[in-house]
Amino acid sequence: EKAIRAAAEAIALARRVPAPLKAIADQVIRSASSVPANLEEGHGRTGRDRAHHWRIAYASAKEVDVHLRILCLSGAVPSGKAASTLNLFDEVRAMTWALIHR
């Protein structure tokens, strides 16, 4: 649920980005939606395949982080809202890290 909420917030921020930065916003949308999707797909798998999807989710959450930071520092998204979303993704990464390394 936290990953879905984080993705929804990131996508909402990305939808408001002006045209010159749309390519970065599109990356936010793709990587943000990948996080909960891969967590769920991993949940339905076993063995190394499960961990593989969780690693993808972790990496996608890292990707969202860098793209949102760029958009925030460029002034394309409000820093307060971006900070809240970044915190959610940090929590998702922590939980995903624990899944991968248990």
Side-chain angles (χ1 to χ4, degrees):
E1 290 301 314
K2 189 171 286 205
I4 292 170
R5 194 169 81 238
E9 285 188 19
I11 290 168
L13 286 170
R15 290 180 63 217
R16 297 185 183 104
V17 171
L21 299 170
K22 275 297 187 195
I24 297 171
D26 289 344
Q27 281 299 116
V28 169
I29 292 168
R30 283 193 293 279
S31 55
S33 62
S34 171
V35 174
N38 276 289
L39 287 172
E40 284 299 315
E41 189 163 356
H43 181 71
R45 306 285 181 122
T46 59
R48 289 175 27 176
D49 199 32
R50 171 179 271 191
H52 172 71
H53 285 283
W54 289 343
R55 285 191 298 272
I56 291 170
Y58 181 83
S60 291
K62 297 277 288 179
E63 186 178 357
V64 172
D65 186 270
V66 71
H67 290 307
L68 272 182
R69 288 177 189 276
I70 291 168
L71 291 173
C72 184
L73 291 171
S74 71
V77 298
S79 60
K81 194 68 171 147
S84 167
T85 304
L86 289 168
N87 285 336
L88 273 176
F89 273 104
D90 188 46
E91 292 174 22
V92 170
R93 280 194 310 274
M95 290 186 292
T96 305
W97 181 267
L99 287 171
I100 296 167
H101 294 93
R102 59 177 160 159

